[in-house]
Amino acid sequence: MADRPSSTPTAAKPVKPAIPSLGGRKPNFRERVVDVLRAALIAGELRPGEVYSAPGLAPRLGVSATPVREAMLELVKEGMVEIVPNKGFRVTAVSEKQLDEYTHVRSLIEIPTTVALAATADPGDLEALRPVALEIVTSAVKGDLIAYVEADLAFHLGLLALAGNDHLVEVVRDLRRRSRLYGLTALVTAGRLKASAEEHLELLDALLARDEEAVREIMTRHLGHVRGLWAARQPGHG
């Protein structure tokens, strides 16, 4: 079950995609494997309680077992998986209380910081994030949840970085890694993920318009999605 073979997803099918093949990608290869597996965990492609082996996951990424094993050991340090002797790695579960706490702290940080950017951010820096926002929409249309999670992370951390506080960015990065977005699959199936993805473009436009109240409303709504349907539990994991 956990190590079933999977094919590369296509844009035509609004279903949960396979973990993308990384064969042939050399720059920062180890980090790339970690990033993809982390995104797969956040999106729910790798399920809580399931045990996955490095040899079983490797063919799905198009790499050997060694970088997968090294990546999983890195994710053990982050608390996302735990070692199961002689079997592999079990995906750790995140409780409802933990999700509430993560989202609450994120709201305390991200909403006021982003609202402040409406008055301080350079328009050119904001426009530089538009291609990333468009990539989020493209990933949503394709139903590529791993690409969606990665682009979403890049967008929000890039936006927060404009505030000039590196420590703040790292705190939010850690909180986002700890969160889970199991409800994304349901949004894809219902054809609703594209509308949610377009909130990133809406946010950019509000920031460029220097509309602080609109920014506050969009960010509040956006983080509400994270804790609401986006983080919904799948049957058997509630």
Side-chain angles (χ1 to χ4, degrees):
M1 176 180 177
D3 294 333
R4 64 186 183 281
S6 181
S7 59
T8 302
T10 64
K13 296 182 179 180
V15 296
K16 202 167 61 168
I19 298 174
S21 172
L22 299 178
R25 298 191 182 189
K26 299 301 182 184
N28 301 314
F29 186 71
R30 180 179 176 278
E31 292 82 358
R32 180 61 185 149
V33 176
V34 173
D35 288 344
V36 168
L37 288 174
R38 185 187 294 112
L41 286 159
I42 293 172
E45 296 289 341
L46 301 179
R47 305 300 306 163
E50 295 286 347
V51 176
Y52 296 87
S53 67
L57 287 172
R60 297 172 63 178
L61 282 81
V63 300
S64 67
T66 298
V68 176
R69 185 175 296 105
E70 292 175 348
M72 293 299 267
L73 289 172
E74 185 67 28
L75 295 173
V76 168
K77 298 177 184 177
E78 296 180 12
M80 301 188 78
V81 297
E82 58 188 12
I83 297 173
V84 180
N86 303 317
K87 291 186 178 181
F89 302 87
R90 179 184 291 112
V91 178
T92 56
V94 180
S95 71
E96 296 293 323
K97 183 175 185 294
Q98 287 173 309
L99 286 172
D100 283 337
E101 292 174 348
Y102 300 157
T103 306
H104 179 60
V105 176
R106 283 184 58 189
S107 68
L108 293 175
I109 297 173
E110 293 188 61
I111 293 175
T113 302
T114 306
V115 169
L117 289 173
T120 62
D122 180 88
D125 291 337
L126 292 171
E127 280 295 348
L129 290 170
R130 193 171 296 275
V132 186
L134 290 170
E135 175 59 27
I136 298 171
V137 177
T138 298
S139 300
V141 172
K142 293 180 179 180
D144 188 340
L145 301 190
I146 292 177
Y148 183 98
V149 168
E150 291 194 301
D152 181 68
L153 176 67
F155 176 86
H156 285 286
L157 295 186
L159 187 60
L160 292 172
L162 299 182
N165 187 328
D166 293 341
H167 184 66
L168 179 149
V169 173
E170 287 308 308
V171 169
V172 174
R173 185 196 305 273
D174 181 64
L175 289 168
R176 291 178 65 94
R177 287 175 176 176
R178 294 173 183 271
S179 299
R180 298 291 182 271
L181 302 174
Y182 301 138
L184 288 179
T185 300
L187 284 178
V188 172
T189 302
R192 295 169 54 195
L193 187 56
K194 180 175 181 287
S196 296
E198 288 173 342
E199 288 180 349
H200 299 84
L201 294 168
E202 184 184 357
L203 177 60
L204 275 183
D205 290 339
L207 285 165
L208 287 163
R210 305 301 191 189
D211 190 337
E212 294 184 9
E213 287 309 307
V215 171
R216 186 183 307 278
E217 187 278 325
I218 295 165
M219 279 301 298
T220 301
R221 181 189 348 136
H222 194 64
L223 284 174
H225 290 159
V226 172
R227 186 59 193 98
L229 181 58
W230 291 10
R233 296 290 187 174
Q234 296 296 318
H237 297 287

